[in-house]
Each structure stands twice: as structure tokens, then as C-alpha cells.
Amino acid sequence: MAFTLPALPYAPEALDPHISAKTLSFHHGKHHAAYVNKLNELLQGKPLATKKLEDVIMESAQERGPVFNNAAQVWNHSFFWNCLSPKGGGAPTGVLADKIKATFGSVDKFKEDLKNAAIGQFGSGWAWLVQDQGQLKITKTPNAENPMIHGQTALFTVDVWEHAYYLDYQNRRPDFVQTVLDKLINWDFVAQNLK
Ligand code: MN3
């Protein structure tokens, strides 16, 4: 069965003014859709086409070719949409809040470190909060790469490819990331991802 583009978990205008409907319509409807279509095209008639997306990613990770790039980008974007919410922002609660404070010192320091990772990713890629052997960590990855191929569990991500922010923020990646962390981060989803 072919892979399909999941619907956005909110209306395209729901994140406005922080992320515009125009950005979301291109990012989800064109970029994310293109990764899905390309993946289906690449896997047509191949044994990998019948596997779960995560298995396709893991089995193509070593080669890092077009199958990996498109499969990982499909997964990364589906994950990213869920990391955002029109009711996002604010502060984490419960176990997640305790772990963030224990690891980074404070929620503000977590945001600062995540933002620095996002700014420090040269060119296209992603910044992540992950769980690695039970420990929270901030990482960044180039292009399509993601935490699962490093044996880590993704808790949160922000897309720092230019297509994620250029229409709304032009070259101001730091402002985009700060806005995501202050206004859009879906802490409930992040907490659900804890192992
Ligand atoms: Mn993207």
C-alpha cells in the first residue's frame, strides 16, 4: 500500500500569525506532499513498499540515498506538525517539566539551547529534543537525518529548512525558532513521546 500524506492536525490558518496559512499550505501541501509522492515512486514494485515507514527509514539509513531522504522527510514533517498547536506555548507540566528542569536547569535555558542548536545547523536540517538512554538531549541533524537512526527517541523538533520560515520570517531563523518555542510548542505531544 502506498504511503499517504497525513492531514494537518489543525486548519492551515490556525497557527497564524506565527506561521501563516500560506507557509503551511506550501510546506504541507507542496513540500511534504512531494516527499510522499517521490517515496511512492521510488518504492514502486519494491519489497520496501509494503513495510512500515519507520522500517523503510531504518533499512535505508546506511545508504542515505533518495529512499532514505524522502522516507525520513515524510516522517519528520508528520512529526513536526504534531509538535505545533494553535493552543501551544506556555510551560510544560508534570514529569516532562521535572526532566527539563533537571537536565537544562530551567525551561528558558532549554529554549535557549534548542534555539542555539537550530541556529547552529548550517544549511538545511532539524533541531530536536530527544531521549537517549533515558536522558534528555538537544541535537541537530542535517537534511533529512533524524534521531531514530541514532537509536534516540524524538520528543520535539523544529524544521529549519528555509522553506519552513522564509515566507514569514525571510532570513530570520532565530525569530522563527523563538516564536515556535514561545507560542506554538505542543507540550502535551512532547510529553506523550516520553518513554
Ligand atoms: Mn520542511
Side-chain angles (χ1 to χ4, degrees):
M1 203 187 112
F3 294 100
T4 53
L5 178 69
L8 279 176
Y10 29 74
E13 63 278 7
L15 306 184
D16 198 79
H18 311 303
I19 297 177
S20 67
K22 189 172 184 187
T23 290
L24 270 188
S25 67
F26 274 94
H27 199 173
H28 175 259
K30 303 288 183 193
H31 291 276
H32 194 181
Y35 296 126
V36 173
N37 293 338
K38 188 70 188 173
L39 181 64
N40 285 326
E41 191 186 307
L42 289 165
L43 293 184
Q44 199 159 31
K46 307 249 170 77
L48 271 184
T50 61
K51 300 220 171 171
K52 278 175 27 188
L53 183 61
E54 288 80 359
D55 295 333
V56 175
I57 293 169
M58 294 306 287
E59 291 186 29
S60 61
Q62 192 147 11
E63 195 176 331
R64 294 283 211 287
V67 169
F68 173 79
N69 286 335
N70 286 280
Q73 284 293 78
V74 171
W75 191 94
N76 294 352
H77 283 89
S78 300
F79 185 79
F80 176 49
W81 307 135
N82 284 298
C83 288
L84 310 177
S85 166
K87 296 181 181 135
T93 56
V95 174
L96 177 62
D98 294 344
K99 282 184 180 291
I100 285 178
K101 284 169 194 160
T103 307
F104 304 103
S106 66
V107 174
D108 282 345
K109 185 65 167 61
F110 155 74
K111 289 183 184 178
E112 189 186 324
D113 290 358
L114 196 294
K115 186 175 161 187
N116 284 334
I119 296 167
Q121 173 53 42
F122 184 80
S124 296
W126 302 79
W128 306 85
L129 175 66
V130 304
Q131 216 171 359
D132 187 354
Q133 319 273 356
Q135 291 292 313
L136 296 195
K137 280 183 189 168
I138 286 167
T139 67
K140 55 188 163 70
T141 58
N143 303 314
E145 203 174 293
N146 68 25
M148 84 178 69
I149 67 167
H150 301 293
Q152 301 164 330
T153 302
L155 303 182
F156 168 79
T157 194
V158 57
D159 185 344
V160 296
W161 285 58
E162 279 189 347
H163 65 226
Y165 58 88
Y166 214 84
L167 291 175
D168 298 328
Y169 296 84
Q170 293 77 51
N171 60 325
R172 292 177 287 116
R173 184 189 290 188
D175 292 354
F176 165 66
V177 175
Q178 190 72 51
T179 301
V180 166
L181 291 169
D182 289 341
K183 308 288 189 187
L184 298 176
I185 185 170
N186 182 350
W187 286 115
D188 292 339
F189 178 72
V190 180
Q192 279 170 34
N193 293 323
L194 278 174
K195 274 198 166 170

PDB file of all heavy atoms in Angstrom, residues 153-170:
ATOM      1  N   THR A 153      14.993   8.565  20.835  1.00  0.00           N
ATOM      2  CA  THR A 153      13.560   8.803  20.691  1.00  0.00           C
ATOM      3  C   THR A 153      13.321  10.296  20.523  1.00  0.00           C
ATOM      4  O   THR A 153      13.725  11.084  21.384  1.00  0.00           O
ATOM      5  CB  THR A 153      12.807   8.321  21.950  1.00  0.00           C
ATOM      6  OG1 THR A 153      13.086   6.933  22.127  1.00  0.00           O
ATOM      7  CG2 THR A 153      11.307   8.532  21.811  1.00  0.00           C
ATOM      8  N   ALA A 154      12.683  10.683  19.439  1.00  0.00           N
ATOM      9  CA  ALA A 154      12.368  12.100  19.215  1.00  0.00           C
ATOM     10  C   ALA A 154      11.224  12.526  20.127  1.00  0.00           C
ATOM     11  O   ALA A 154      10.213  11.832  20.239  1.00  0.00           O
ATOM     12  CB  ALA A 154      11.985  12.321  17.761  1.00  0.00           C
ATOM     13  N   LEU A 155      11.407  13.658  20.813  1.00  0.00           N
ATOM     14  CA  LEU A 155      10.335  14.210  21.645  1.00  0.00           C
ATOM     15  C   LEU A 155       9.739  15.463  21.005  1.00  0.00           C
ATOM     16  O   LEU A 155       8.549  15.738  21.152  1.00  0.00           O
ATOM     17  CB  LEU A 155      10.869  14.571  23.045  1.00  0.00           C
ATOM     18  CG  LEU A 155      11.534  13.461  23.847  1.00  0.00           C
ATOM     19  CD1 LEU A 155      11.955  13.995  25.216  1.00  0.00           C
ATOM     20  CD2 LEU A 155      10.610  12.265  24.014  1.00  0.00           C
ATOM     21  N   PHE A 156      10.585  16.249  20.330  1.00  0.00           N
ATOM     22  CA  PHE A 156      10.157  17.521  19.722  1.00  0.00           C
ATOM     23  C   PHE A 156      11.128  17.853  18.592  1.00  0.00           C
ATOM     24  O   PHE A 156      12.311  17.517  18.669  1.00  0.00           O
ATOM     25  CB  PHE A 156      10.206  18.640  20.778  1.00  0.00           C
ATOM     26  CG  PHE A 156      10.061  20.024  20.206  1.00  0.00           C
ATOM     27  CD1 PHE A 156       8.814  20.524  19.852  1.00  0.00           C
ATOM     28  CD2 PHE A 156      11.185  20.828  19.996  1.00  0.00           C
ATOM     29  CE1 PHE A 156       8.684  21.796  19.295  1.00  0.00           C
ATOM     30  CE2 PHE A 156      11.063  22.096  19.445  1.00  0.00           C
ATOM     31  CZ  PHE A 156       9.817  22.584  19.096  1.00  0.00           C
ATOM     32  N   THR A 157      10.601  18.519  17.565  1.00  0.00           N
ATOM     33  CA  THR A 157      11.504  19.026  16.537  1.00  0.00           C
ATOM     34  C   THR A 157      11.036  20.361  15.999  1.00  0.00           C
ATOM     35  O   THR A 157       9.855  20.714  16.117  1.00  0.00           O
ATOM     36  CB  THR A 157      11.662  18.035  15.366  1.00  0.00           C
ATOM     37  OG1 THR A 157      12.788  18.413  14.566  1.00  0.00           O
ATOM     38  CG2 THR A 157      10.420  18.007  14.462  1.00  0.00           C
ATOM     39  N   VAL A 158      11.988  21.085  15.435  1.00  0.00           N
ATOM     40  CA  VAL A 158      11.642  22.247  14.626  1.00  0.00           C
ATOM     41  C   VAL A 158      12.422  22.150  13.312  1.00  0.00           C
ATOM     42  O   VAL A 158      13.616  21.846  13.297  1.00  0.00           O
ATOM     43  CB  VAL A 158      11.871  23.582  15.379  1.00  0.00           C
ATOM     44  CG1 VAL A 158      13.290  23.742  15.863  1.00  0.00           C
ATOM     45  CG2 VAL A 158      11.459  24.776  14.515  1.00  0.00           C
ATOM     46  N   ASP A 159      11.668  22.344  12.240  1.00  0.00           N
ATOM     47  CA  ASP A 159      12.216  22.291  10.882  1.00  0.00           C
ATOM     48  C   ASP A 159      12.951  23.602  10.621  1.00  0.00           C
ATOM     49  O   ASP A 159      12.357  24.682  10.757  1.00  0.00           O
ATOM     50  CB  ASP A 159      11.021  22.126   9.918  1.00  0.00           C
ATOM     51  CG  ASP A 159      11.416  21.933   8.452  1.00  0.00           C
ATOM     52  OD1 ASP A 159      12.574  22.212   8.092  1.00  0.00           O
ATOM     53  OD2 ASP A 159      10.533  21.515   7.678  1.00  0.00           O
ATOM     54  N   VAL A 160      14.229  23.523  10.268  1.00  0.00           N
ATOM     55  CA  VAL A 160      14.957  24.762   9.967  1.00  0.00           C
ATOM     56  C   VAL A 160      15.407  24.824   8.507  1.00  0.00           C
ATOM     57  O   VAL A 160      16.319  25.580   8.163  1.00  0.00           O
ATOM     58  CB  VAL A 160      16.128  25.039  10.950  1.00  0.00           C
ATOM     59  CG1 VAL A 160      15.582  25.254  12.356  1.00  0.00           C
ATOM     60  CG2 VAL A 160      17.163  23.938  10.955  1.00  0.00           C
ATOM     61  N   TRP A 161      14.752  24.025   7.648  1.00  0.00           N
ATOM     62  CA  TRP A 161      14.920  24.259   6.207  1.00  0.00           C
ATOM     63  C   TRP A 161      14.328  25.641   5.909  1.00  0.00           C
ATOM     64  O   TRP A 161      13.317  26.029   6.518  1.00  0.00           O
ATOM     65  CB  TRP A 161      14.152  23.209   5.402  1.00  0.00           C
ATOM     66  CG  TRP A 161      14.769  21.845   5.346  1.00  0.00           C
ATOM     67  CD1 TRP A 161      15.086  21.047   6.402  1.00  0.00           C
ATOM     68  CD2 TRP A 161      15.105  21.107   4.160  1.00  0.00           C
ATOM     69  NE1 TRP A 161      15.616  19.852   5.947  1.00  0.00           N
ATOM     70  CE2 TRP A 161      15.630  19.867   4.580  1.00  0.00           C
ATOM     71  CE3 TRP A 161      14.999  21.371   2.792  1.00  0.00           C
ATOM     72  CZ2 TRP A 161      16.062  18.896   3.678  1.00  0.00           C
ATOM     73  CZ3 TRP A 161      15.429  20.400   1.889  1.00  0.00           C
ATOM     74  CH2 TRP A 161      15.963  19.184   2.337  1.00  0.00           C
ATOM     75  N   GLU A 162      14.893  26.364   4.978  1.00  0.00           N
ATOM     76  CA  GLU A 162      14.381  27.715   4.704  1.00  0.00           C
ATOM     77  C   GLU A 162      12.899  27.714   4.331  1.00  0.00           C
ATOM     78  O   GLU A 162      12.176  28.663   4.621  1.00  0.00           O
ATOM     79  CB  GLU A 162      15.193  28.384   3.586  1.00  0.00           C
ATOM     80  CG  GLU A 162      16.492  28.968   4.108  1.00  0.00           C
ATOM     81  CD  GLU A 162      17.218  29.828   3.087  1.00  0.00           C
ATOM     82  OE1 GLU A 162      16.852  29.785   1.896  1.00  0.00           O
ATOM     83  OE2 GLU A 162      18.157  30.515   3.491  1.00  0.00           O
ATOM     84  N   HIS A 163      12.415  26.633   3.686  1.00  0.00           N
ATOM     85  CA  HIS A 163      11.000  26.627   3.285  1.00  0.00           C
ATOM     86  C   HIS A 163      10.065  26.685   4.494  1.00  0.00           C
ATOM     87  O   HIS A 163       8.900  27.001   4.358  1.00  0.00           O
ATOM     88  CB  HIS A 163      10.676  25.430   2.364  1.00  0.00           C
ATOM     89  CG  HIS A 163      10.800  24.079   2.997  1.00  0.00           C
ATOM     90  ND1 HIS A 163      11.437  23.013   2.390  1.00  0.00           N
ATOM     91  CD2 HIS A 163      10.356  23.593   4.185  1.00  0.00           C
ATOM     92  CE1 HIS A 163      11.364  21.951   3.171  1.00  0.00           C
ATOM     93  NE2 HIS A 163      10.720  22.272   4.259  1.00  0.00           N
ATOM     94  N   ALA A 164      10.594  26.372   5.689  1.00  0.00           N
ATOM     95  CA  ALA A 164       9.769  26.387   6.896  1.00  0.00           C
ATOM     96  C   ALA A 164       9.451  27.807   7.355  1.00  0.00           C
ATOM     97  O   ALA A 164       8.450  28.023   8.050  1.00  0.00           O
ATOM     98  CB  ALA A 164      10.469  25.633   8.021  1.00  0.00           C
ATOM     99  N   TYR A 165      10.300  28.766   7.006  1.00  0.00           N
ATOM    100  CA  TYR A 165      10.121  30.111   7.580  1.00  0.00           C
ATOM    101  C   TYR A 165      10.313  31.269   6.624  1.00  0.00           C
ATOM    102  O   TYR A 165      10.005  32.408   6.952  1.00  0.00           O
ATOM    103  CB  TYR A 165      11.063  30.283   8.784  1.00  0.00           C
ATOM    104  CG  TYR A 165      12.547  30.092   8.481  1.00  0.00           C
ATOM    105  CD1 TYR A 165      13.336  31.154   8.045  1.00  0.00           C
ATOM    106  CD2 TYR A 165      13.152  28.848   8.647  1.00  0.00           C
ATOM    107  CE1 TYR A 165      14.690  30.979   7.771  1.00  0.00           C
ATOM    108  CE2 TYR A 165      14.496  28.658   8.375  1.00  0.00           C
ATOM    109  CZ  TYR A 165      15.266  29.724   7.943  1.00  0.00           C
ATOM    110  OH  TYR A 165      16.602  29.545   7.671  1.00  0.00           O
ATOM    111  N   TYR A 166      10.802  31.019   5.413  1.00  0.00           N
ATOM    112  CA  TYR A 166      11.237  32.152   4.585  1.00  0.00           C
ATOM    113  C   TYR A 166      10.101  33.105   4.211  1.00  0.00           C
ATOM    114  O   TYR A 166      10.280  34.317   4.200  1.00  0.00           O
ATOM    115  CB  TYR A 166      11.977  31.668   3.329  1.00  0.00           C
ATOM    116  CG  TYR A 166      13.060  32.643   2.948  1.00  0.00           C
ATOM    117  CD1 TYR A 166      14.323  32.589   3.549  1.00  0.00           C
ATOM    118  CD2 TYR A 166      12.799  33.672   2.036  1.00  0.00           C
ATOM    119  CE1 TYR A 166      15.299  33.514   3.243  1.00  0.00           C
ATOM    120  CE2 TYR A 166      13.784  34.601   1.728  1.00  0.00           C
ATOM    121  CZ  TYR A 166      15.024  34.519   2.325  1.00  0.00           C
ATOM    122  OH  TYR A 166      15.987  35.448   2.035  1.00  0.00           O
ATOM    123  N   LEU A 167       8.901  32.571   3.929  1.00  0.00           N
ATOM    124  CA  LEU A 167       7.787  33.449   3.538  1.00  0.00           C
ATOM    125  C   LEU A 167       7.383  34.382   4.683  1.00  0.00           C
ATOM    126  O   LEU A 167       6.980  35.520   4.448  1.00  0.00           O
ATOM    127  CB  LEU A 167       6.568  32.617   3.116  1.00  0.00           C
ATOM    128  CG  LEU A 167       6.688  31.816   1.818  1.00  0.00           C
ATOM    129  CD1 LEU A 167       5.439  30.966   1.621  1.00  0.00           C
ATOM    130  CD2 LEU A 167       6.884  32.740   0.619  1.00  0.00           C
ATOM    131  N   ASP A 168       7.485  33.902   5.909  1.00  0.00           N
ATOM    132  CA  ASP A 168       7.044  34.698   7.070  1.00  0.00           C
ATOM    133  C   ASP A 168       8.183  35.461   7.745  1.00  0.00           C
ATOM    134  O   ASP A 168       7.959  36.531   8.296  1.00  0.00           O
ATOM    135  CB  ASP A 168       6.400  33.781   8.121  1.00  0.00           C
ATOM    136  CG  ASP A 168       5.161  33.076   7.593  1.00  0.00           C
ATOM    137  OD1 ASP A 168       4.452  33.668   6.756  1.00  0.00           O
ATOM    138  OD2 ASP A 168       4.905  31.931   8.012  1.00  0.00           O
ATOM    139  N   TYR A 169       9.369  34.901   7.738  1.00  0.00           N
ATOM    140  CA  TYR A 169      10.475  35.476   8.530  1.00  0.00           C
ATOM    141  C   TYR A 169      11.703  35.826   7.686  1.00  0.00           C
ATOM    142  O   TYR A 169      12.689  36.298   8.228  1.00  0.00           O
ATOM    143  CB  TYR A 169      10.907  34.486   9.631  1.00  0.00           C
ATOM    144  CG  TYR A 169       9.836  34.220  10.657  1.00  0.00           C
ATOM    145  CD1 TYR A 169       8.845  33.266  10.435  1.00  0.00           C
ATOM    146  CD2 TYR A 169       9.802  34.914  11.869  1.00  0.00           C
ATOM    147  CE1 TYR A 169       7.850  33.007  11.370  1.00  0.00           C
ATOM    148  CE2 TYR A 169       8.825  34.666  12.820  1.00  0.00           C
ATOM    149  CZ  TYR A 169       7.853  33.708  12.564  1.00  0.00           C
ATOM    150  OH  TYR A 169       6.875  33.467  13.509  1.00  0.00           O
ATOM    151  N   GLN A 170      11.629  35.557   6.371  1.00  0.00           N
ATOM    152  CA  GLN A 170      12.787  35.735   5.484  1.00  0.00           C
ATOM    153  C   GLN A 170      14.017  35.034   6.084  1.00  0.00           C
ATOM    154  O   GLN A 170      13.929  33.878   6.395  1.00  0.00           O
ATOM    155  CB  GLN A 170      13.026  37.223   5.182  1.00  0.00           C
ATOM    156  CG  GLN A 170      11.895  37.850   4.348  1.00  0.00           C
ATOM    157  CD  GLN A 170      10.681  38.141   5.198  1.00  0.00           C
ATOM    158  OE1 GLN A 170      10.811  38.761   6.241  1.00  0.00           O
ATOM    159  NE2 GLN A 170       9.530  37.676   4.764  1.00  0.00           N
TER     160      GLN A 170
END
